[in-house]
Amino acid sequence: CLYIDLHGHSRKLGLFTYACGQFAENDYRRFTVRMYPKLLSLLTPEFELSNCRWRIGKGKRGTGRVVVAKDLGLTETYTIE
């Protein structure tokens, strides 16, 4: 299952994602949460994998991707900007 929240960003150009991907290096979820953005970067020239962020920033607890990740336990939750 995959959750995607689409937004526009006023300060950054191009396409990138925010994800809830703070997992230990040996945790399989660290790999799975990064798979979708990696595929997007291979298929879409405008997508910038280097601009993707994997942490939950301060004040982001109420965003759709964080609510779905925390409350429903879904790993693959993204905001695409």
Side-chain angles (χ1 to χ4, degrees), residues 61-78:
R61 179 60 176 100
T63 63
R65 73 178 161 91
V66 177
V67 169
V68 170
K70 296 284 186 184
D71 296 348
L72 300 179
L74 184 61
T75 303
E76 292 78 19
T77 62
Y78 306 94

Side-chain angles (χ1 to χ4, degrees), residues 40-48:
L40 284 176
S41 73
L42 295 173
L43 297 171
T44 309
E46 298 81 13
F47 191 86
E48 293 289 335

